[in-house]
Amino acid sequence: MIVRRLKLEGFRNYRSAEAEFHPGINVIVGENAQGKTNLLEAVGYFSGCRSHRTRAERELIHFDRQEAALELELTSRGRDFRLQARLARGVRRQLWSNGVRQKSAAGLDGILNTVLFCPEDLSLIKAGAAERRRFLDEAIGQLRPRYAEAIAEYRKLQESKTRILRDWQDQPAMMDTLDTYSLRMCRVGAQIVRYRARYLAQLGRFAPGIHREFSGGREELGLRYQTVKTVTDPSAPLEEVFSQLLEHMRAHRRAELESRSCLSGVHKDDLIVEINGVSARTYGSQGQTRTAALSLKLAEREVSRDDQGEAPVLLLDDVLSELDARRQEFVLNRIGGGQVLITCCEEETPGRLRAGKVLRVHGGALV
């Protein structure tokens, strides 16, 4: 999977820009706030048709423009693609693949897979469960478009059920549909549990070994999927998982009515990370949790490579400046074997990164 060319018009701080990339390591150099991250964001946008930095697409448009245009040329699965997106204020976005207008983002599913690693990800282990769910959802969604559809449906169901729980005392008639939403949440939730359990099994094939190498053999990384207590085996047949989710939700029905919120469901799942058998979130040092986060991200890349038969594009956003020298060297030694786009500041030596190409950014322009 190789990104060859990116063209931008009115995107973030870029009035107009065009960049060509090397199939190996591409180093994007520049001072802070010049547009390095925006280049990675533009490439990553075509992997899921969303920004990793904002949900509001209007924020992607240059402040003095009414619309933005993005175009990406790449090779994926032995085929050449030209992907395009047009974003406009107050108007629904438009997407194309090889000149064919797409009805939705689903039309671009599976064309570009990326693994993004930014400074915020170093807090993945210490953060709340929502961040680890987001990590799982984004990673699985790239490989399994049906999972992304299930997550989207589940969120809509949860929002509707939350409105019922919030307003049912003022509008008692809303209670007539509560059980319908609960039942459907369990149906879709069972699918989500199965997908997450499978992905965790794949991740478990790579992450412990990477972490062991990273820590010089001193630490053993453990991963465990935590869902509702009634689900005894997340990998069990779908109907069994559904029945156990429904049992849990029914047991919490009264509590949900009293609290006016959804207390039961896979929206509370977590990925439990352990180091040498104890909780990394609770007992891990900053160095240990950063190493674990790095291991998860590098393992995500290996899972994608193993599943798709080609390496995803690795996007590293200013990560090196947040790491000590030992962790920097480990990352640099592990990023070969695929295309990499990595941002860094001028004082970091591009030659140290064994770059195939260096792109310099200043003031929203490639110079």
Side-chain angles (χ1 to χ4, degrees), residues 153-154 157 179-189 191:
E153 181 181 358
Y154 186 90
L157 291 166
D179 290 339
T180 300
Y181 281 108
S182 293
L183 188 69
R184 185 58 188 166
M185 281 179 70
C186 291
R187 281 286 179 199
V188 179
Q191 299 173 30

Side-chain angles (χ1 to χ4, degrees), residues 19 22 88 111 149 160-161 180 202 210 214 231 236 238:
H22 188 273
I111 296 177
E149 293 172 6
S160 297
K161 182 177 176 180
T180 300
Q202 291 178 292
I210 293 172
F214 211 159
V231 176
L238 200 61

Side-chain angles (χ1 to χ4, degrees), residues 39-215:
L39 279 184
L40 296 193
E41 182 182 26
V43 172
Y45 182 83
F46 289 101
S47 180
C49 293
R50 62 182 179 274
S51 163
H52 70 280
R53 300 162 73 193
T54 179
R55 292 185 178 182
E57 292 198 332
R58 64 180 179 275
E59 295 181 14
L60 304 179
I61 303 173
H62 195 287
F63 70 91
D64 66 355
R65 299 282 185 92
Q66 291 302 306
E67 64 177 37
L70 301 83
E71 182 176 312
L72 191 72
E73 294 180 6
L74 71 150
T75 301
S76 173
R77 305 192 303 268
R79 295 178 56 196
D80 292 335
F81 291 91
R82 181 166 62 94
L83 308 181
Q84 295 168 284
R86 182 170 296 161
L87 315 176
R89 300 185 190 278
V91 180
R92 187 178 179 183
R93 70 182 176 190
Q94 299 175 34
L95 303 170
W96 291 266
S97 176
N98 288 342
V100 178
R101 175 81 179 271
Q102 303 299 307
K103 294 181 179 179
S104 68
L108 304 188
D109 282 344
I111 296 177
L112 173 64
N113 289 339
T114 62
V115 171
L116 169 70
F117 195 18
C118 54
E120 293 81 1
D121 292 323
L122 291 169
S123 301
L124 179 63
I125 309 302
K126 287 289 189 181
E131 287 302 306
R132 289 181 290 282
R133 283 195 303 274
R134 183 176 63 84
F135 162 69
L136 292 175
D137 292 347
E138 292 179 355
I140 303 171
Q142 288 194 75
L143 302 179
R144 301 289 181 265
R146 288 186 179 180
Y147 176 82
E149 293 172 6
I151 287 291
E153 181 181 358
Y154 186 90
R155 286 172 179 162
K156 291 179 181 178
L157 291 166
Q158 184 188 351
E159 289 173 4
S160 297
K161 182 177 176 180
T162 298
R163 282 196 297 270
I164 295 171
L165 291 169
R166 185 188 61 209
D167 301 333
W168 72 272
Q169 289 183 328
D170 297 325
Q171 304 176 56
M174 297 179 73
M175 287 292 291
D176 295 341
T177 58
L178 179 62
D179 290 339
T180 300
Y181 281 108
S182 293
L183 188 69
R184 185 58 188 166
M185 281 179 70
C186 291
R187 281 286 179 199
V188 179
Q191 299 173 30
I192 292 171
V193 167
R194 292 287 304 280
Y195 275 115
R196 286 175 175 171
R198 289 195 197 110
Y199 186 77
L200 259 295
Q202 291 178 292
L203 206 63
R205 292 175 50 207
F206 298 103
I210 293 172
H211 187 92
R212 195 179 304 117
E213 181 184 348
F214 211 159
S215 64

